[in-house]
Amino acid sequence: MIYVGMAIAICFIIVVAYALTHKYNPQAVLLIAGILMVCISLIIGTYSLNVETDLGGTSTGWIGFDVFSLVKQTMKMNALRVGLMIMTIGGYVAYMKQIHASDALVFVSMRPLMLFRRFPDIAAILVLPIGQMLFVCTPSAAGLGLLLVASIFPILVNLGVSKLTAVSIISACTIFDMGPGSANTARASELAGMTNMEYFVEHQLPLAIPITILLMVLYYFTNRYFDRQDRLKGKVENSTMDAKDMKVDAPLIYAILPALPLILLIVFSSYFQLFGRPIVLDTTTAMIISLFVAILFEVIRWRSVSKTFANIKTFWQGMGNVFANIVTLIICAEIFSKGLISLGFIDALVEGCTSLGFTGVLISVVIIAIIFLAAILMGSGNASFFSFGPLVPDIASKVGMNPVDMILPMQLSSSMGRAISPIAGVIVAIAGVAGVSTNELVKRNVIPLTVGLIAMILVHYI
């Protein structure tokens, strides 16, 4: 019966992938698919729903209503746990954009590139590590991508970099969803049973740094090859863009504000002691402290309390947008994953791989490939990881692996897959603004990111 359940689960995965690639609402697709799978599992006997023991809730007294009580308890658990943190992050990011602090950070970070006027290809790849650091502080792929297109893209093009090369590097700045402010990091660290900062410093950075260096080399040679081919075909056009300096509508001291939560989390980590007592900040608290510092900056800048307070509504609107777009996606994706578990997808996957002689590492590689391809199909790193990430703790326990060893490459592969998706929001947005073909941009990303994914797996496991 377990393999019957797995066959049904695979059918649901195919249908969900089809619906998501045809731009059906992802929350609705994942929620309905998850509920249907739970219902089918109850009918065929692969799952026994107990709201009290499974989720700590209270049974309604009838199994039909308990299915929807499962949804309520999942919403409750996620809203109180990772949901509040992600909403606070989203609000702070929106406020940083409102007061132009993000522009100031990009301005300060990108000015050193002007030293490489005579080496445009070198200047282009240097954007990658700088942009990745900016992404840690501004964890919005589409937001950072558009910001870089508006600011650094004209500079690179004027230095002699082709438009497609410049845009491919900008898209590559968002391939690692890492740092305490990332929604994927928040979910992954929770599944791994550790704090955001511990997961970021001890696991994400040691893996991301060597892969970023490799990607710089890969993008350098890949883009040079494609540029040479385009020149032979006469596709490269002379740029007519004006060489304008980047301008920022905010004091440069504001550049510290987007990075302030990260600075606070690093300083006040588990290693910090004050008068013999440890002081440890969580991500949500660090965001709130940084918000009040930013408000103080605004009061000093404008000398107007009313104007400062009027801008604060952006923070609450940002929280609301994140709840509508990301927190609801987390909730619906978890219902979807519960549906897969209820049909015995995990047990069948592990048993099937084990019977083929697969070790825990090989099983991890299979799931990494699934998440990577799902991100390409869905156009969302969050959707793919949130859908399959919750399955990891159960799989890890069955194969005797540490959950973080499985979760880390899976989480990073989801954001790498997003940069190869022609329907991903960040890819569509930056290609449209820069005036290049989405398919051509994706083609430039395929080779570096596929090789980078393989290298990441080898570095992590070998």
Side-chain angles (χ1 to χ4, degrees), residues 1-22:
M1 188 59 70
I2 188 175
Y3 289 107
V4 173
M6 184 179 188
I8 296 173
I10 291 173
C11 291
F12 269 98
I13 291 173
I14 294 171
V15 171
V16 166
Y18 174 85
L20 292 176
T21 54
H22 286 73

Side-chain angles (χ1 to χ4, degrees), residues 40 63 95 116 212 330 343 382 385 435 437:
I40 293 173
I63 191 68
Y95 188 61
F116 293 87
T212 298
I330 293 175
L343 285 172
N382 288 346
F385 180 68
S437 166

Side-chain angles (χ1 to χ4, degrees), residues 13 24 61 88 100 106 134 137 143 171 190 224-225 278 282 284 296 300 316 323 330 357 360 423 439 452:
I13 291 173
Y24 283 74
T88 308
H100 301 288
V106 171
L134 293 173
C137 303
S171 67
E190 182 191 24
R224 283 177 64 90
Y225 169 78
D282 61 84
T284 304
L296 179 61
I300 296 172
W316 312 116
F323 178 81
I330 293 175
I423 62 172
N439 291 333

Side-chain angles (χ1 to χ4, degrees), residues 30-51:
L30 294 170
L31 177 63
I32 293 173
I35 291 175
L36 288 176
M37 283 190 287
V38 170
C39 292
I40 293 173
S41 67
L42 292 171
I43 293 172
I44 66 176
T46 59
Y47 182 58
S48 179
L49 177 61
N50 191 322
V51 178

Side-chain angles (χ1 to χ4, degrees), residues 164 167 427 431-432 434-443:
L164 276 169
V167 177
I427 297 298
V436 300
S437 166
T438 301
N439 291 333
E440 290 294 322
L441 173 57
V442 168
K443 187 165 67 174

Side-chain angles (χ1 to χ4, degrees), residues 180-259:
S182 164
N184 270 7
T185 294
R187 188 67 176 126
S189 60
E190 182 191 24
L191 293 171
M194 57 184 61
T195 65
N196 287 17
M197 203 62 208
E198 182 183 2
Y199 180 69
F200 171 55
V201 174
E202 298 182 9
H203 298 280
Q204 284 182 327
L205 279 179
L207 182 58
I209 289 173
I211 303 305
T212 298
I213 295 172
L214 172 63
L215 287 172
M216 292 173 67
V217 176
L218 292 171
Y219 268 101
Y220 178 82
F221 288 105
T222 301
N223 278 322
R224 283 177 64 90
Y225 169 78
F226 279 110
D227 284 345
R228 187 163 52 248
Q229 293 298 112
D230 287 345
R231 280 193 294 272
L232 291 174
K233 297 176 182 178
K235 290 184 178 180
V236 176
E237 300 177 1
N238 293 328
S239 173
T240 58
M241 303 186 70
D242 295 329
K244 295 181 179 179
D245 291 332
M246 297 166 59
K247 296 181 180 179
V248 181
D249 189 21
L252 292 186
I253 188 65
Y254 273 44
I256 197 174
L257 293 177

Side-chain angles (χ1 to χ4, degrees), residues 334-357:
E334 184 149 336
I335 297 295
F336 177 72
S337 70
K338 289 183 185 299
L340 293 176
I341 293 172
S342 68
L343 285 172
F345 180 79
I346 297 295
D347 294 333
L349 180 65
V350 174
E351 185 177 316
C353 290
T354 303
S355 64
L356 292 173

Side-chain angles (χ1 to χ4, degrees), residues 59 92 111 157 245 294 339 425:
S59 173
Y92 190 73
R111 293 303 288 177
V157 171
D245 291 332

